[in-house]
Amino acid sequence: MVDVTGIFGNIGLQLFILMLLAFSAYQARSKKMKIHCNLMAAALFLQLLTIVFVMSPSFLAHSGMQISIQLLLELWVHHIAGILVMLLVIYINLAVKGSVHFLGEPYRLMKPVALLWFLVLLGGMHISISLYPDL
């Protein structure tokens, strides 16, 4: 039996995180960097919670499932890109705060990382829908 509530709950949470990212980007463009940083921290925290408590158990549950090579490749690209996004967000945050030395300007990485995060979110939603096409 498929847990429809969990699937739609996760997709709903991902949409909320996407809205947080969009509002955070707006705050950055408005030069309200403290609000931007707080929103990004909240988005990162929520994303990490969903990875640990929703996505990882779901991935392990589907590890024995017969899925297409295309979907399996999409899953791995999603996981690797997602890990990269989380590490880059943490690294940029630490660089902006001055906790780590950054080669170059950390602000130049923000837009590409935001775009990658957006693509990973969309890819994850596509994976969820692909795993349960009858919902």
Side-chain angles (χ1 to χ4, degrees):
M1 182 84 173
V2 175
D3 179 17
V4 177
T5 308
I7 296 165
F8 288 120
N10 185 37
I11 290 174
L13 187 54
Q14 296 306 313
L15 288 172
F16 178 74
I17 292 170
L18 189 59
M19 288 188 297
L20 268 179
L21 293 175
F23 189 62
S24 176
Y26 173 76
Q27 295 301 316
R29 290 184 66 74
S30 300
K31 308 291 186 215
K32 297 177 181 173
M33 295 308 288
K34 185 164 178 89
I35 295 171
H36 166 75
C37 290
N38 288 337
L39 289 171
M40 287 303 296
L44 178 67
F45 180 72
L46 286 173
Q47 192 66 64
L48 289 172
L49 285 178
T50 62
I51 289 168
V52 170
F53 293 110
V54 178
M55 293 177 205
S56 294
S58 177
F59 180 70
L60 293 174
H62 289 95
S63 62
M65 245 176 95
Q66 290 290 357
I67 57 175
S68 70
I69 296 295
Q70 178 184 350
L71 187 56
L72 183 62
L73 180 62
E74 191 175 343
L75 271 167
W76 280 108
V77 168
H78 173 73
H79 282 75
I80 292 167
I83 290 168
L84 179 63
V85 166
M86 295 297 101
L87 291 174
L88 285 170
V89 168
I90 292 167
Y91 183 63
I92 290 168
N93 191 336
L94 291 173
V96 168
K97 290 179 179 179
S99 300
V100 296
H101 179 68
F102 193 84
L103 298 174
E105 181 66 36
Y107 296 100
R108 296 184 76 187
L109 264 183
M110 288 180 178
K111 286 182 184 177
V113 170
L115 176 63
L116 183 58
W117 196 342
F118 175 73
L119 293 173
V120 170
L121 279 169
L122 288 179
M125 288 181 207
H126 179 263
I127 289 168
S128 292
I129 292 167
S130 296
L131 284 172
Y132 304 104
D134 297 332
L135 294 181

